[in-house]
Amino acid sequence: ILGFIVAHLVVLFALADLVAFIVRRIGKGQEERTYYKFLRAVYHFGIIPILVLSVLLCYGNYNMKHISRTEYIVSSHKLRDNYEIVFISDVHYATIQDPDLIKEKIAEIEKMKPDMVLLGGDIVEEGTSKKAMQEVFRIFGGIESTYGTYYVYGNHDRQLYAEERAYTGAELEDAMRAGGVTALQDSYVQLGPDLVIAGREDVSLGKEGRKKTDTILQDIPSDAYVVLLDHQPVQSEENARQGVDLQLSGHTHAGQLIPIGYINALTGALNYGEYERGGCKVIVSSGMAGWGFPFRTQEKCEYVVIHLKRN
C-alpha cells in the first residue's frame, strides 16, 4: 500500500507542476494579483496532490466494498430456449475483499435460481489459505441452478507465483469436486441440443499448456450455440472463426486503478464490457474483487448476468 501511495503522489505532484507551469505562462504579469498569490501558496504547500490522493483513497476503498449486478442480453437464432447465466470472475477470495460481502452476493444469486453458474478464473490466489479455498468452492458449488457450476483456471488459482503454496493442485481439484464444481480444462459440456459450454486452460501456461480452439470444439454439433470461458480476453477473432458465439472473460479488473484501464483500451486490448469480434460476442467482466490493493478507482466490482434469448 505504501508503494501505491508513493506512486500516486509522484504522478499527482508531476501533474501539479504541469498545471503550475501553465498558470505561470497564462498569468504572466499578474503576479501581484490576489488570485495568483493564492494559487502560488497552494502550489508551494503541496495541498492539492495530497487532497486529491485522499479523495481517491476514500473513493477507491468505498468502491471496492460494493459489488454490483451487471446484465447483458444476447440473442441468437441458434438458441431454441432462453437461458440465464451468472458469470463470476476474479474473486481472489479472502484477500482484499470482505468474504462476508462475497457470501452476501452469493445469497443474492441463489434467489435467482439461474440456469448455470460460470466461474471465469482467479477465484482464489496466492494469498488464499487452503481453508478459504475449500470454503469458496463449497459455496459456489452449492448455488442451486439447472445445469450446475462450471469453472476455468485463471493465472492465480494454482498459486503459481507464490514462494510457498498454501495448497497443491490436487487439493484444489479435490475442493472443486467436493463442492460440486466442474472444471473445464480445454474441454466442453453439451447442456442440450442447442447449447455448449467450453472452457480453456489459461493462456499463461503457453502454447504447450493449452489446446487450440478448433481441437477443443471439433466434435460439437455445427448448429449449437457455443459459450467459451477463457480467463483472459484473448484470441476472440480466432475463436469466432472456430464457431464460438459468446466468449466470457475477466482478468483485466477493468484496469482497477485509473488510468490503467484507459491505457489498456488505447492499446486495442479488450478491457471491460461488451465487444464484437468477427461475429463472436465478447463480454469482459471487471471481477467481483480487485487484486493487490484494497482500492478500485476505475469501474466497479460486479457479477454478471447474461440473458441468452432465442431470436
Side-chain angles (χ1 to χ4, degrees):
I1 294 178
L2 179 60
F4 168 87
I5 292 173
V6 170
H8 277 69
L9 279 176
V10 168
V11 172
L12 290 170
F13 271 106
L15 288 173
D17 284 343
L18 177 62
V19 171
F21 173 77
I22 294 171
V23 169
R24 281 195 293 268
R25 297 291 295 238
I26 295 173
K28 203 166 186 179
Q30 303 185 50
E31 290 83 356
E32 298 306 315
R33 289 182 175 271
T34 303
Y35 86 90
Y36 193 96
K37 291 180 178 179
F38 173 75
L39 290 176
R40 183 166 53 196
V42 169
Y43 168 70
H44 285 155
F45 278 111
I47 296 171
I48 298 299
I50 293 171
L51 283 176
V52 171
L53 179 61
S54 298
V55 171
L56 274 175
L57 289 175
C58 291
Y59 167 71
N61 186 253
Y62 170 86
N63 198 28
M64 183 63 77
K65 292 178 179 179
H66 291 77
I67 299 173
S68 301
R69 168 175 168 165
T70 303
E71 300 194 43
Y72 297 92
I73 298 175
V74 180
S75 60
S76 173
H77 68 278
K78 291 183 177 181
L79 293 166
R80 302 180 193 177
D81 292 304
N82 299 327
Y83 298 93
E84 188 174 67
I85 297 173
V86 172
F87 175 58
I88 299 167
S89 72
D90 300 280
V91 180
H92 296 270
Y93 190 67
T95 56
I96 62 172
Q97 185 68 280
D98 183 359
D100 288 336
L101 178 58
I102 301 292
K103 292 172 184 175
E104 178 185 313
K105 292 302 170 180
I106 291 171
E108 189 177 292
I109 291 167
E110 285 180 325
K111 292 178 182 177
M112 295 166 48
K113 292 185 169 50
D115 289 302
M116 68 204 75
V117 177
L118 304 181
L119 305 177
D122 282 0
I123 304 305
V124 290
E125 59 141 273
E126 286 76 14
T128 306
S129 68
K130 179 180 175 180
K131 181 179 179 181
M133 177 272 292
Q134 293 169 332
E135 177 183 51
V136 73
F137 282 106
R138 182 173 64 253
I139 293 170
F140 279 129
I143 298 174
E144 184 180 344
S145 65
T146 307
Y147 297 103
T149 302
Y150 299 89
Y151 156 88
V152 291
Y153 285 94
N155 55 307
H156 286 285
D157 291 289
R158 295 182 173 103
Q159 297 191 329
L160 298 178
Y161 311 123
E163 292 183 9
E164 187 174 341
R165 297 169 65 185
Y167 51 82
T168 65
E171 288 170 334
L172 179 59
E173 291 174 9
D174 288 343
M176 278 184 250
R177 280 193 292 268
V181 175
T182 301
L184 298 174
Q185 296 175 260
D186 287 340
S187 60
Y188 70 88
V189 291
Q190 186 163 348
L191 301 183
D194 61 337
L195 184 63
V196 166
I197 308 295
R200 306 286 314 265
E201 275 286 12
D202 187 60
V203 71
S204 62
L205 297 182
K207 291 182 178 180
E208 295 181 0
R210 70 181 201 162
K211 299 175 184 176
K212 293 183 178 180
T213 309
D214 58 350
T215 302
I216 299 168
L217 302 179
Q218 59 185 344
D219 296 324
I220 68 166
S222 58
D223 60 344
Y225 188 88
V226 180
V227 179
L228 184 137
L229 291 174
D230 197 346
H231 175 63
Q232 301 190 40
V234 296
Q235 300 178 344
S236 52
E237 292 185 2
E238 172 62 22
N239 292 334
R241 285 193 289 270
Q242 303 306 327
V244 173
D245 299 287
L246 174 64
Q247 177 176 333
L248 302 178
S249 298
H251 180 67
T252 66
H253 297 274
Q256 186 173 334
L257 303 174
I258 292 175
I260 296 173
Y262 299 126
I263 295 171
N264 286 343
L266 286 173
T267 66
L270 305 186
N271 181 65
Y272 174 67
E274 189 174 15
Y275 302 86
E276 188 84 30
R277 290 292 185 271
C280 175
K281 185 84 69 178
V282 184
I283 293 174
V284 182
S285 172
S286 58
M288 244 192 182
W291 178 81
F293 307 101
F295 307 103
R296 176 184 281 281
T297 56
Q298 190 157 20
E299 294 300 343
K300 59 188 177 182
C301 297
E302 67 179 5
Y303 68 88
V304 175
V305 179
I306 300 138
H307 303 278
L308 291 185
K309 303 284 188 180
R310 60 181 181 180
N311 194 337

